[in-house]
Amino acid sequence: MKTAVPISVVIVAGEASGDIHGANVVRALKNRHQDIFICGAGGGAMRSAGARVIIDVHQLSVMGFTAILSKAPAILKAAARLKKLLCSLKPDLLILIDFPDFNLHLAGYAKKIGIPVLYYISPQVWAWRANRIRKIKSRVDHMAVILPFEKKIYEKHHIPVSFVGHPLMDTAGPQIGVTKKISDRQTKFTVSLLPGSRQGEVTRLLPTILQAARLLLQKYPDIQFLLSCAPTIERTVLQQLLGASATPNVVVTTDPVTRLFEQSHLCIVASGTASLEAAIYGIPAIIVYSTSRFNYLMGKLLIKVPHIGLANLIAQRRVIPELIQKHASAENIVSAACGLLSDPAAYRKMQMDLIEVRNLLGHGGASDQVAALASSLITNSPTF
């Protein structure tokens, strides 16, 4: 039986990043609708924004092919609970955020019982499993995409779509990195080390990154390193790895990455959202990535993209160097770093390329635009 509140919305985010984006959408919806009831799957951010969280994001989040099996029982249980919620609540709208395998399954159930579906942050159909387009077309009422090239993909398949801009632009500060200048005789630099937000990738990447830092110290004795400790990583993990490496001139910090960007000439960053944040702030960077041999081989077999860095995908060319798997060696990191720090023209060229990337990402307000799309679907009065 439908609740007495005028409007009800279910939002499903399956990962920590989705929880943050979901929270912003919750706030934007509450600004538009005073008596709205929002519930679903998420975490602390969505709770703080005023949503009732039925399924905690930590029950769903997985990374890598081998991790899926261990989480399968919890994922199946969560899917069953959310289906029951949709059936009993009969919300005015289901908003799905990323997390495609789980969410497209849920979208199919929602369509069967007559609940409209808005999908925010597209599955990466441009990278792998392009056949998911057919599922999306039959199960989703509207796509809200965050990468500019995605809009054309959905338009080609006659799927209702809006480019809302990247959510990182909602809080992006000025592109401080493009104002930094270096000289070919300079030896004093600050380099940020961002080894990732998952413990597995940190323990895999950080020893190599620290080895590269020691080699860079031989060339630039005055160089300083800021080692970022993400909120999801225990500080002791980084300190143990740092102690084992005996790398000097490294400061471990829990400051937001934007604070590190203010101080840095260069970032050595794990592939992921942080690499795009560096691009948005105009900080020249080097992307590194390494995973287990099994995950890498499976990824190579299934994923068909020319780049792994989001900035490079958005620019549709190699703007930021990418060092992947066996190429993510300390020597290659040092070579790429010196190629920028010792060449003011190359450094300036990357800064200009990063301006282009930022300009392609929209001008903020992604969450407000998603809320506007949601309101249109709820009231059945399309404005798109």
Side-chain angles (χ1 to χ4, degrees), residues 28-101:
L29 281 170
K30 284 182 172 290
N31 286 337
R32 287 175 172 269
H33 306 280
Q34 288 187 341
D35 298 324
I36 194 170
F37 172 68
I38 305 173
C39 63
M46 282 176 56
R47 282 193 191 92
S48 297
R52 181 180 176 188
V53 174
I54 309 297
I55 304 291
D56 194 274
V57 70
H58 294 103
Q59 297 178 38
L60 302 178
S61 181
V62 293
M63 182 181 181
F65 299 98
T66 54
I68 294 173
L69 293 177
S70 64
K71 281 285 185 80
I75 290 171
L76 292 172
K77 184 178 179 180
R81 288 186 65 190
L82 287 167
K83 286 179 182 179
K84 186 176 180 180
L85 172 67
L86 291 174
C87 190
S88 60
L89 179 62
K90 291 285 174 53
D92 296 285
L93 181 66
L94 172 63
I95 300 177
L96 303 171
I97 302 177
D98 202 3
F99 207 56
D101 289 319

Side-chain angles (χ1 to χ4, degrees), residues 6 9 90 98 129 177 224 248 275:
V9 173
K90 291 285 174 53
D98 202 3
R129 295 174 62 188
Q224 298 286 329
S275 68

Side-chain angles (χ1 to χ4, degrees), residues 55-188:
I55 304 291
D56 194 274
V57 70
H58 294 103
Q59 297 178 38
L60 302 178
S61 181
V62 293
M63 182 181 181
F65 299 98
T66 54
I68 294 173
L69 293 177
S70 64
K71 281 285 185 80
I75 290 171
L76 292 172
K77 184 178 179 180
R81 288 186 65 190
L82 287 167
K83 286 179 182 179
K84 186 176 180 180
L85 172 67
L86 291 174
C87 190
S88 60
L89 179 62
K90 291 285 174 53
D92 296 285
L93 181 66
L94 172 63
I95 300 177
L96 303 171
I97 302 177
D98 202 3
F99 207 56
D101 289 319
F102 185 92
N103 276 339
L104 284 177
H105 174 73
L106 206 60
Y109 181 78
K111 291 297 288 184
K112 284 180 183 178
I113 60 175
I115 298 170
V117 177
L118 172 62
Y119 205 119
Y120 177 35
I121 306 180
S122 169
Q124 295 177 344
V125 293
W126 36 268
W128 71 311
R129 295 174 62 188
N131 62 340
R132 286 181 292 188
I133 283 280
R134 292 196 294 271
K135 284 185 179 180
I136 292 169
K137 187 169 185 176
S138 64
R139 301 177 184 186
V140 174
D141 292 274
H142 202 93
M143 294 296 300
V145 299
I146 66 172
L147 301 176
F149 59 83
E150 292 175 321
K151 190 172 188 287
K152 291 182 180 178
I153 296 171
Y154 288 105
E155 287 176 337
K156 179 182 176 181
H157 292 274
H158 308 289
I159 297 170
V161 59
S162 298
F163 171 59
V164 297
H166 201 285
L168 286 177
M169 295 302 295
D170 287 2
T171 55
Q175 207 166 23
I176 50 179
V178 299
T179 64
K180 297 178 186 291
K181 295 182 180 180
I182 63 169
S183 70
D184 53 5
R185 295 182 180 181
Q186 190 170 342
T187 61
K188 189 172 184 178

Side-chain angles (χ1 to χ4, degrees), residues 46 78 84 87 114 136 191 210 232 236 265 291 312 332 349 377:
M46 282 176 56
K84 186 176 180 180
C87 190
I136 292 169
V191 176
L210 291 174
T232 50
T236 54
H265 297 91
T291 186
N312 294 335
N332 286 343
K349 172 69 166 55
L377 289 166

Side-chain angles (χ1 to χ4, degrees), residues 18 23 32 45 78 118 135 197 215 253-254 258 295 335 343 373:
R32 287 175 172 269
L118 172 62
K135 284 185 179 180
S197 59
L215 293 174
T253 175
T254 56
T258 52
N295 282 342
S335 177
D343 187 343
L373 291 171

Side-chain angles (χ1 to χ4, degrees), residues 15-17 61-64 67 193-210 227-234 237-238 241 257 268-275 277 287-292 295 308 323 325 328 333:
E15 296 181 308
S17 60
S61 181
V62 293
M63 182 181 181
L193 311 177
L194 289 79
S197 59
R198 295 180 174 92
Q199 185 162 322
E201 65 183 352
V202 169
T203 54
R204 188 176 294 112
L205 288 175
L206 187 53
T208 301
I209 291 173
L210 291 174
L227 176 54
S228 176
C229 181
T232 50
I233 301 296
E234 291 288 339
V237 172
L238 296 191
L241 291 168
V257 291
I268 300 172
V269 56
S271 176
T273 303
S275 68
E277 287 183 279
I287 294 172
V288 294
Y289 180 75
S290 179
T291 186
S292 70
N295 282 342
I308 65 167
L323 301 175
Q325 210 65 3
I333 293 171

